[in-house]
Amino acid sequence: MRQIKKWVIVLACSVFVSASALAGTAVPSAGHGLTSTTSSTATPLADGSTLMHQTTHGFWIETTTEAGFPSEKSADCNVTMLLSAEGALVVYRSVCTATDIDGDLFVGAIGATKPDFSDCTWTIYGGTGKYAGLSGSGQCVGGGPITKDGNHTKSTWTGEYVLP
């Protein structure tokens, strides 16, 4: 019986040490998203440019599992973008919350300043539950519309999480 207790203590300690070792560890993050615009307001500006405010709802699916997080998340974003008088992107910024099946969420931001989104980046700023203290960043690529009206789009991302 004493030997079993020893093994239980050793096992518990090794699990604790393994979990602690992960704190601060960078792990890959990659996936794809499908997003729908739920509201959109365009405000013409005096110089001919257009200020856009949108809300979106989507599904983000991670294709990497090293962090051990649920792969599927529901994402809600508040988007602000400025379009030139010719309709080209001048700046894009989005703040999003992504919620998993357990109800835990993280807050992230997405940004770009090139019309083709070739400089698109994302950053994670922490969250609740398992995402408390999470950080990370990487690149994103807009995949374009998946419907004729352009209200439904796809995207992919790569980068890394830094575990809390």
Side-chain angles (χ1 to χ4, degrees), residues 116-118 120 139-145 153-157:
D116 64 357
F117 273 70
S118 60
C120 183
Q139 295 72 44
C140 37
V141 177
T153 60
K154 60 185 174 181
S155 60
T156 60
W157 74 86

Side-chain angles (χ1 to χ4, degrees), residues 42-52 81-88 90:
T43 304
L45 302 180
D47 65 356
S49 60
T50 303
L51 180 64
M52 301 282 300
M81 70 180 106
L82 181 64
L83 304 176
S84 70
E86 296 76 32
V90 175

Side-chain angles (χ1 to χ4, degrees), residues 40-164:
S40 186
T41 304
T43 304
L45 302 180
D47 65 356
S49 60
T50 303
L51 180 64
M52 301 282 300
H53 292 283
Q54 295 180 332
T55 58
T56 65
H57 179 76
F59 299 99
W60 295 352
I61 301 161
E62 290 189 56
T63 56
T64 55
T65 59
E66 287 86 342
F69 300 138
S71 64
E72 298 165 338
K73 295 169 189 65
S74 174
D76 292 294
C77 300
N78 290 298
V79 179
T80 300
M81 70 180 106
L82 181 64
L83 304 176
S84 70
E86 296 76 32
L89 179 73
V90 175
V91 64
Y92 173 96
R93 294 290 182 263
S94 180
V95 175
C96 305
T97 57
T99 307
D100 69 22
I101 193 163
D102 301 320
D104 296 334
L105 63 86
F106 63 76
V107 176
I110 303 167
T113 58
K114 293 186 178 177
D116 64 357
F117 273 70
S118 60
D119 65 339
C120 183
T121 60
W122 60 268
T123 305
I124 300 283
Y125 295 101
T128 65
K130 67 182 79 64
Y131 305 111
L134 180 68
S135 62
S137 62
Q139 295 72 44
C140 37
V141 177
I146 58 173
T147 58
K148 191 172 187 173
D149 64 7
N151 286 327
H152 309 280
T153 60
K154 60 185 174 181
S155 60
T156 60
W157 74 86
T158 59
E160 66 182 21
Y161 292 140
V162 178
L163 300 177

